[in-house]
Amino acid sequence: ELYCCYINENGFKIPVKNTQLAEAILCLTDKQRSIILRNIVLNIPLSKIAISLGISKRMAEKHKQKAMKILRERMKTSNEEY
C-alpha cells in the first residue's frame, strides 16, 4: 500500500508519495514552497510566478535556488538515517 500526502498550492491538491519529500517541502517558507511547487510541479514559468507574488524574476530565482538547496540537504539527511 502506497502512502500519499497532499500539499495544497494555489488551489491545486498536489500528491507527494515520498513522505520525507513532503516533510521537506513543508519545512520551506511559504514563498519558497509556492515557487518550487508552481515552477517544478505545475510547470509555471518563474516570470509568471514572480508577477503573481509581486517580486522580481531574479528574486524568484533566488528563492528557488535556496529552496532546492534546503530540499537536497533534507533529503540527503533523511536518506542517511536509514
Side-chain angles (χ1 to χ4, degrees), residues 20-61:
Q20 286 87 14
L21 178 58
E23 289 171 4
I25 291 170
L26 292 173
C27 287
L28 298 173
T29 66
D30 290 343
K31 201 166 278 189
Q32 290 170 341
R33 183 171 47 254
S34 180
I35 290 169
I36 285 292
L37 293 174
R38 289 183 196 189
N39 183 242
I40 294 175
V41 179
L42 302 176
N43 206 26
I44 299 171
L46 282 175
S47 56
K48 288 188 177 187
I49 297 168
I51 290 168
S52 72
L53 295 176
I55 61 176
S56 69
K57 182 181 175 194
R58 181 70 185 126
M59 186 54 69
E61 290 168 354

